[in-house]
Amino acid sequence: QVQLVESGGGLVQAGGSLGLSCAASGSLFRFNVMGWYRQAPGKQRELVAQITHTGSSNYADSVKGRFTISRDNAKNTVYLQMNSLKPEDTAVYYCILKQLRRDYWGQGTQVTVSS
């Protein structure tokens, strides 16, 4: 089994910054993908960004240039630095780890951006 523990998030004014982190533990395979999804009220869960074990990353168009994903393989941790936040970034952010054709999810952390 895989466990994901998220931290960070909270309330910030528009234009501000927040950082999220997610630490993985358990039965981890070296060649995995870690990332972040988000779900706003009344909307479907959507990919924000993800990163492979080699550091290759991709982003949703809506966050390109504002968010940066990174990972520390030694700590099995993925990070999401969010800058220039907008009210439309308000959502529950979920960490995800993909390995061996299975997806593992964190419990979610709330990010609220006030206008």
Side-chain angles (χ1 to χ4, degrees):
Q1 272 293 355
V2 172
Q3 294 80 41
L4 301 173
V5 179
E6 299 155 347
S7 60
L11 174 64
V12 66
Q13 289 188 331
S17 299
L18 280 176
L20 305 179
S21 62
C22 172
S25 62
S27 301
L28 300 177
F29 185 61
R30 177 183 177 188
F31 304 104
N32 58 47
V33 176
M34 299 185 74
W36 296 90
Y37 279 68
R38 67 185 181 187
Q39 187 167 20
K43 294 188 177 181
Q44 289 189 331
R45 192 172 296 189
E46 62 176 2
L47 173 69
V48 176
Q50 60 185 14
I51 185 168
T52 69
H53 70 285
T54 60
S56 177
S57 60
N58 62 285
Y59 296 86
D61 287 342
S62 59
V63 307
K64 283 181 180 177
R66 300 188 297 121
F67 292 10
T68 302
I69 192 169
S70 60
R71 64 185 287 171
D72 184 333
N73 290 333
K75 297 181 178 179
N76 297 313
T77 299
V78 64
Y79 306 93
L80 186 68
Q81 179 63 38
M82 304 181 291
N83 298 327
S84 302
L85 283 161
K86 305 175 180 179
E88 51 263 44
D89 294 318
T90 296
V92 177
Y93 284 68
Y94 296 91
C95 176
I96 185 170
L97 185 147
K98 305 177 182 180
Q99 66 178 25
L100 302 175
R101 299 183 181 180
R102 290 191 63 178
D103 295 344
Y104 300 88
W105 294 92
Q107 77 280 7
T109 185
Q110 178 69 46
V111 171
T112 302
V113 184
S114 63
S115 57

